[in-house]
Amino acid sequence: METSSGNRDLLASLGSQARIVAYTVIVAIAATRAGTTAANAQEPPPRPIGASDLLRSEPFDRITLIDNSVVIVEPVSPRPLPLIDPRKEREKRLKQATNPVETFIEVGKEPKKEDEGSVEGRDIIKIHLLQTGRSEVRDFLVKRTSIKKIEYFEDLLLDEVDRLILSRDFARAFECCLRVKTRDPSWPGLDDRVNKVLYTEGRRALIDGDDERGLRLLRELLGRNRDYPDLLEQIVQAYGKRIERAVRMGRYVLGRRVLHELEGVVGERASVAALRSRFVSKATDRVQQAETKDSADRLDALAEALRIWPTLPGVEARYIEAFQAMPTLDVGVIDVASPPGPWVRSPADDRIVRLLYLPILAADNEDARKGKPAGQLAASVETSDLGRRMVIRLRPGPIWSDGSRPVSIADVARALIEQTDPHSPTYEARWAQLLDRAEVRGEDRIEVRLHHSPLKAGSSLIGPVGAAHAGVDGRIVLSARRRMLVTDGPFGCSGSEDDRLELRTRSDSSSDGAIRRIREIRLSRGSTAVTALRRGDVTMIDHVPPDQVAAMTGAQEIQIGQYQRPVVHVLAVDGRTPALRNRALRRGLSYAIHRKGLLEETVLKHPANDVDTPADGPFARGSFADAADVKPLAFDILLAKMLVAAARKELGARSIRLKLDYPAIPECRAVVPKLAEAFQIAGVEIELAEWPESRLEGELRAGRRFDLAYRVLRCDDPIGQAGPLLCPAYDAPPEADPLASAASPRILQLLLQLERAGEWATARGLVAQIDRESRNELPVIPLWQLADHYAWRSRLRGPEATTSRLYDGIERWQVAPWVAHDPWDPGQKPEKRQ
């Protein structure tokens, strides 16, 4: 076998015995290659080794000999091989030339013990070939000087890391680093590559907008190497962007928390001080603005300054002084009345109407008719002619909020008559059919004549009374761009927007700490409202999501109250939609709903109980209207599909498409998509539409057409409210065709009989019959009933544990000033009360 010119030069430079050893190794390797060349002549050339191959393959090293031939071997040992000192190597060659080594090392044989030191990692190394053909010779001894280059498996992985970083495949780059670490945690260059991956991926994540992941990676790199080039600047820049975004959005607590975290990460630096100064300067500007404002605006400016930077010197004392002059109650609500006025068209209207307007009667009972309650206009209400004649006598009325005059009998007369006008926003169809005439009999008396004797005549006198000199919306014109809502209640409306409402007391003689201003803020998402209450941004919330009640009950500084009546969740059905007049379709929709499963898994997130339970009708359990012999509504998806298919055949339609409107309430948002999914499985295509609750309820009661509407109902009077519960447009104007909106003719017949009932026993029997027959007729599709809760912070004193309306007894409530301090500030407490 011939040798290459490079090998000949090597042999010529060695001594006689060393020449024999080197020649034997080279010849053996060349023979092995010659044997494998014939065996592998038909094999394709090896493809480049990529990350996937390196991560899956067995470890190997790649050796390049001095003749530029490359062999793949098992990992050599020791790793890495010690470096060869050229000076010592020359001396060794001279010594070998004068004193030849007598020991001859043959291929495939173990060296003698005295030569073992020269084999293990010094002069000669053992190699085990991995790329061989049919030849069985794999083990060889190779002289170190015959090796031009050796590429260790670990270095191949690290080189692949560099390539993967350039291609932004950071996951595989980390895998390559991890494999090197499992083989040798102290391998040269490993730490540098890991740092490079962390820095590059963290910086790329920040560029892509993933701040959380980017900062997490950069903080990890900071813990490994604080002096990594440009690292601290990148971290400060990323934190600065988060702080600026939080300040721009008004989320000052988040901005301060990020700033505090930045201080802990990089320490005190000029850039950190600059970010801190932004908070201080912004808060200082608010304090300066407060000096030129009146009491309420001054309080708001000082409160804003403390929200921006709570430790601004001297501001807290000035805020407490301003708060004591204008005690303010901030309330987070599902929705605000939009717009407020002398009407009740939504739960938001019902919540505030008694604060803005005094009713003729505070309640439909004997005490109210005798004029005993303070919060009403009537001094007495006398009935005669079997209830068809009422004489209302007014007590000396309060002054309207515009200061023009006291409430008079003209205001009462207009309020009663306007309810019969279909074009008025206060129109009520049942009152329009009941009222015969209203005649003023003096300065403080009015006589009301009715067409027939109603069962509860006083129920029509508990609504609000607007000013006769105001427009139909209860407002008067102050300027070309400003209109004022005229009220006679304890509070007046000082501002109304789509997402907030501000009420101010009209009395200047309030006791210390008594509520002088109420600000309702729309927080329709349950998590947002609960977070705002916990953080102290609001003092009270009108609704606690059912799945948050248990967690809120044990929260520090927070108390939970419950409304007296549970709410019933139903799907209202519009009979003016032809498909929904089909009872089979309504039954199919009902059978498609797994009420217990949805209630426990999605709404409550805990097992149902006696109050939080699936509903079997429109009336809450425990009410006299709830028939005891009604069976629970079942879930049967197969039967639902059959009923929907039968309805489709009867209607002659290839498909049924319905629109489901739902209010922006936390539990509705959570469950409505699953209801739509269940209906689609049953064969009904559903389109979803979210609405603010006030707007949805207002339009439904005004007679707007719909298909399905998710409603949350609280019923205090089943006899008087049965019609609007089962048919949202029951009191709508005639042009809306309100009676046609009743999906079931049989239920409509029972409702009309209930309107004419002259005895309590008859009315109670009819209401129970309506509940019983609603089980099969399904004028609405019942879902479940829930206990409804509200919550407040302990700095507010006065709310009861149980109430019928949120603001009942608010004249006795007191609220203390409060400043929220950052919990990481060791010099401050989380909460301060005066």
Side-chain angles (χ1 to χ4, degrees), residues 348-365:
D349 293 332
D350 185 62
R351 182 177 62 244
I352 65 167
V353 69
R354 292 295 179 92
L355 301 178
L356 297 176
Y357 298 97
L358 297 179
I360 298 174
L361 293 179
D364 186 16
N365 54 39

Side-chain angles (χ1 to χ4, degrees), residues 252-253 256 300 302-310 519 537:
Y252 303 112
V253 176
R256 294 197 306 274
D300 294 342
L302 292 173
E304 181 75 2
L306 289 175
R307 276 195 290 268
I308 297 171
W309 197 252
R519 289 190 300 190
D537 292 344

Side-chain angles (χ1 to χ4, degrees), residues 677-695:
E677 181 181 358
F679 294 156
Q680 288 173 348
I681 293 174
V684 178
E685 298 180 21
I686 295 293
E687 175 189 354
L688 300 179
E690 181 176 293
W691 297 75
E693 186 185 32
S694 294
R695 183 178 173 187

Side-chain angles (χ1 to χ4, degrees), residues 394-446:
L394 295 187
R395 61 179 56 161
I399 304 296
W400 288 109
S401 58
D402 62 346
S404 59
R405 59 182 179 82
V407 178
S408 67
I409 202 67
D411 301 311
V412 175
R414 184 199 176 191
L416 295 176
I417 294 173
E418 270 208 347
Q419 295 180 52
T420 65
D421 181 5
H423 302 290
S424 170
T426 61
Y427 175 79
E428 289 190 11
R430 288 177 292 174
W431 177 251
Q433 295 176 357
L434 181 62
L435 180 64
D436 181 16
R437 61 183 182 273
E439 299 177 353
V440 175
R441 297 298 186 183
E443 293 183 356
D444 62 347
R445 292 176 183 270
I446 184 172

Side-chain angles (χ1 to χ4, degrees), residues 299 302 306 315-325 817-819 832-834:
L299 173 63
L302 292 173
L306 289 175
V315 179
E316 183 174 329
R318 296 160 71 180
Y319 163 76
I320 293 174
E321 179 184 357
F323 189 92
Q324 290 173 344
W818 178 84
V819 178
K832 181 179 180 66
R833 295 187 302 274
Q834 297 293 328

Side-chain angles (χ1 to χ4, degrees), residues 199 206 214-222 231 234-235:
Y199 178 79
L206 293 176
L215 287 173
R216 176 177 55 80
L217 293 169
L218 294 182
R219 285 196 300 265
E220 184 177 347
L221 174 57
L222 187 68
L231 175 60
Q234 286 291 331
I235 291 177

Side-chain angles (χ1 to χ4, degrees), residues 176-195:
C176 291
C177 293
L178 182 61
R179 186 160 193 193
V180 175
K181 185 176 182 180
T182 57
R183 291 185 54 78
D184 187 352
S186 60
W187 187 263
L190 173 60
D191 288 341
D192 292 339
R193 294 308 199 291
V194 173
N195 293 343

